[in-house]
Amino acid sequence: MSTLVESAPGYRGRHTLPLRVEAVRQLKRRRTLVMAGVLAALPLILIAAFAIGGTPDGRDSGRVTLMDTATASGANFAATCLFVSAGFLLVVPVALFCGDTVASEASWSSLRYLLAAPVPRTRLLWSKLAVALGFTAAAMVLLPLVALATGTLAYGWGPLELPTGGSLDTGDTLPRLGLVVAFIFVSQLVTAGLAFWLSTKTDAPLGAVGGAVGLTIIGNVLDAVTALGSWRDVLPAHWQFAWIDALQPQLEWNGMVKGAAVSVTYALVLFALAFRNFSRKDIVS
């Protein structure tokens, strides 16, 4: 059947399931809108918390953290929002967008109809993966943008005050924050790979999403076991906050380069497993 379709006049497999069509389908889904609302609401919740609880200040204790400088400027507030959300909250949209994409089609019994359209399996996966990663990147950008806008309105615009002392010029602030967002996106590729691979293994979207989140949490727990010593260097979770080096007077690349290399390596393996599994899978739903 596939041979007859591929030889049909005018048929081009690469033109099936355009990215625009898949993106619109995913954008209209309720979970996408809910996730966007949650990410946009976090900065407002933090501003309200600071207004109720008072301005954080750890200077009296002699130990200043990023949280202690949250209200120094809009840039500091955006960095703080990334700090409090990078460990878990930002994991959720990554797992949701990448884990729900294939499994949801199977749960709706629409996956076999897409393939009968006919959409080549590789093309279907590439389209869904590209859109899922695009929405993941959008989620990573949405949070700091909203935080920067609301933080500037609440605390004013100014240089990024560093917890280690000193500050970054306003001209350097946005590029550094952009670098932070880029690294967080790269570090989350492991979760994306896990979710996408699991999405090709199960017909239950919650299983793929929950499995990816659960395995990410296990990685965080293992990284907290100091007895593992240098073995923790191969855990993606060990490098998830390496972007703090971007918020130093002198930009340090070492930790971010190592973290990005570990994350990309795991992600490529997991994406390859997803394509291999899906190419051999018997689609019955």
Side-chain angles (χ1 to χ4, degrees), residues 70-236:
T71 58
S73 68
N76 277 93
F77 182 71
T80 301
C81 286
L82 288 170
F83 179 75
V84 300
S85 60
F88 180 74
L89 179 60
L90 289 179
V91 173
V92 177
V94 177
L96 185 64
F97 293 138
C98 295
D100 182 69
T101 182
V102 177
S104 62
E105 297 284 2
S107 68
W108 298 333
S109 297
S110 59
L111 186 56
R112 57 183 173 183
Y113 295 108
L114 278 175
L115 295 175
V119 181
R121 294 192 180 200
T122 302
R123 172 64 183 180
L124 185 145
L125 275 195
W126 275 120
S127 294
K128 288 190 170 295
L129 178 58
V131 171
L133 291 179
F135 276 84
T136 296
M140 301 293 173
V141 173
L142 176 64
L143 176 61
L145 277 182
V146 174
L148 191 62
T150 55
T152 300
L153 289 175
Y155 310 118
W157 176 254
L160 181 64
E161 185 176 327
L162 304 177
T164 55
S167 61
L168 291 177
D169 294 336
T170 53
D172 294 330
T173 296
L174 291 181
R176 293 290 185 94
L177 288 177
L179 177 59
V180 169
V181 173
F183 178 79
I184 292 176
F185 172 76
V186 172
S187 67
Q188 294 292 351
L189 287 178
V190 178
T191 301
L194 277 170
F196 196 68
W197 173 57
L198 291 174
S199 188
T200 65
K201 298 284 289 183
T202 179
D203 294 349
L206 287 179
V209 176
V213 173
L215 289 172
T216 300
I217 292 174
I218 290 174
N220 291 336
V221 172
L222 289 175
D223 182 57
V225 181
T226 55
L228 290 175
S230 60
W231 285 102
R232 295 187 300 163
D233 291 348
V234 301
L235 296 174

Side-chain angles (χ1 to χ4, degrees), residues 4 14 38 46 89-90 131 134 152 277:
L4 292 175
R14 65 179 181 275
V38 169
L46 285 180
L89 179 60
L90 289 179
V131 171
T152 300
N277 176 71

